[in-house]
Amino acid sequence: MAGRFDPLTRTAVRGGRTTVPAGTAGTAGTAGTAGTEASAGPGARALARTWEPEGVVDLGLTLGPLRRGPADPTFRTTPDGSVWKTSRTPRGPATLRVALRPSTGTVHAEAWGPGAEWMLDGLPALLGDGDDPAAFVPRHRLVHASHRRRPGLRLTRTGLVLESLIPTVLEQKVTTDEAYRAWRRLVSQYGEPAPGPEHGPQGLYVMPDARTWAMIPSWDWHKAGVDAKRSAAIVRCARVANRLEEAAAMELTQAAARLEAVPGIGPWTSAETLQRSNGAADAVTTGDLHLPGIIGYALAGNRDADDDAMLELLAPYAGQRHRAARLILLAGHAPPRRAPKMRKTDIGRL
């Protein structure tokens, strides 16, 4: 878990670290109350589930990669120590609230909406129940130290491909701030208010369905700062959404091939997606502007490392390369900047 001398740097955020308030045992326990009234419509009620993980689970580290920026309309943390997440499940929209009872480590969850039961059924996988941290053996001092400090890191598995694929496409070739802005605008404009209790976080939305993504007019893509290349890739994905969702049940190689069959989806996008949708522990990201230099600098002092050098350094972690890369990012050991930041642009103003 993050310690008091573990600063929240941009590199650590890239590694999926999200701060979740400590909360209290009492507030976390309220998530186990069934029958809570919801604002999703007449007679709508919350479904609840309690789950006891076999080991330590850190909600911020495990669910952090699913957050797309601090103002993500599909993800919130609240002062009582809860994480709120919305999804468009195969059974419809849903809102999930997850909280951890500090004294016992028990997870309490509530869900609202037509997809509530689906969300609760997938709760263990979402919190890394299918992950095997014991398979990871640190081979470098920095990785060992990062691994020791974060015993609650689990690799999430959402089982939803489009939910991770679309925001990943938005992140192609632009700064994260630009991508987050586009995601916020499009989800808030074309999504729907999330089902849930009246006392829940304000401003939560469920992402649009595939048909809606495919029908967004060109001028709204432009206003959101999304160029024609990325918007066209998202429209192509939306048109074959059902086939892409099948990748959530495939092995990594076949899943990547399924995604990359769509023009505009390459190895970088497929890896970043499958890390979240499939919990793929070996889905290492290649073709990234910064990652090879960060890993090369952290493990070998080589800030100019390319993809080949990065893969060579990660070779001892075969089968767990994504976990190793996350631990390196979470350690925050990035090379000092020696060039200006990538310039931010907003084509929506043109």
Side-chain angles (χ1 to χ4, degrees):
M1 296 183 184
R4 59 182 296 187
F5 301 113
D6 191 9
L8 187 60
T9 63
R10 292 183 68 90
T11 304
V13 171
R14 166 82 190 267
R17 181 177 156 198
T18 296
T19 301
V20 177
T24 64
T27 54
T30 60
T33 303
T36 302
E37 289 290 342
S39 59
R45 293 179 178 273
L47 299 180
R49 176 175 183 177
T50 300
W51 178 62
E52 295 186 9
E54 293 186 1
V56 179
V57 174
D58 186 311
L59 293 182
L61 291 176
T62 302
L63 299 179
L66 304 180
R67 188 183 76 156
R68 305 290 179 159
D72 185 348
T74 69
F75 192 104
R76 291 283 191 278
T77 61
T78 50
D80 65 353
S82 298
V83 175
W84 297 73
K85 179 186 179 299
T86 71
S87 290
R88 186 168 294 279
T89 77
R91 299 183 188 177
T95 300
L96 177 71
R97 174 181 179 261
V98 184
L100 192 66
R101 188 187 293 272
S103 58
T104 63
T106 303
V107 174
H108 299 271
E110 287 177 304
W112 295 263
E117 186 175 357
W118 191 94
M119 289 289 284
L120 291 179
D121 287 344
L123 179 68
L126 187 69
L127 296 182
D129 187 48
D131 184 29
D132 184 15
F136 183 76
V137 180
R139 304 291 185 180
H140 298 84
R141 181 174 297 179
L142 179 142
V143 177
H144 183 273
S146 184
H147 183 250
R148 186 181 67 249
R149 296 182 67 182
R150 299 170 178 87
L153 173 63
R154 298 290 183 272
L155 300 183
T156 185
R157 181 181 185 134
T158 66
L160 299 169
V161 174
L162 214 63
E163 178 181 283
S164 294
L165 179 59
I166 289 177
T168 300
V169 173
L170 291 175
E171 293 173 3
Q172 293 177 352
K173 306 296 183 181
V174 297
T175 66
T176 54
D177 290 342
E178 293 173 78
Y180 293 160
R181 183 178 66 234
W183 174 247
R184 287 195 305 269
R185 177 167 185 146
L186 293 168
V187 171
S188 299
Q189 182 175 355
Y190 287 98
E192 59 186 272
E198 294 181 359
H199 63 269
Q202 300 299 307
L204 275 177
Y205 283 81
V206 179
M207 66 171 269
D209 59 20
R211 185 177 184 278
T212 302
W213 283 112
M215 297 297 290
I216 295 176
S218 59
W219 53 86
D220 276 342
W221 287 113
H222 185 82
K223 289 179 181 178
V226 182
D227 58 67
K229 184 176 181 179
R230 287 179 292 152
S231 63
I234 291 174
V235 170
R236 285 191 289 264
C237 291
R239 289 173 176 168
V240 292
N242 291 338
R243 295 285 287 163
L244 294 180
E245 292 293 351
E246 294 173 358
M250 296 179 178
E251 295 297 324
L252 178 59
T253 303
Q254 290 109 343
R258 175 67 62 89
L259 268 60
E260 291 170 27
V262 179
I265 307 301
W268 183 89
T269 305
S270 67
E272 289 284 318
T273 300
L274 296 174
Q275 289 163 7
R276 297 163 172 85
S277 63
N278 293 34
D282 200 45
V284 61
T285 302
T286 56
D288 191 88
L289 180 62
H290 302 292
L291 187 62
I294 292 173
I295 291 178
Y297 181 78
L299 300 186
N302 178 15
R303 64 180 301 155
D304 298 315
D306 57 12
D307 278 344
D308 290 338
M310 176 184 71
L311 292 175
E312 184 177 351
L313 288 170
L314 293 176
Y317 302 103
Q320 294 281 320
R321 292 179 297 176
H322 168 51
R323 189 193 305 275
R326 277 201 65 190
L327 288 168
I328 293 168
L329 289 169
L330 288 166
H333 197 65
R337 186 178 298 278
R338 63 183 181 189
K341 292 182 179 180
M342 183 176 178
R343 185 178 174 222
K344 296 180 183 178
T345 59
D346 184 1
I347 66 172
R349 296 182 179 182
L350 298 178

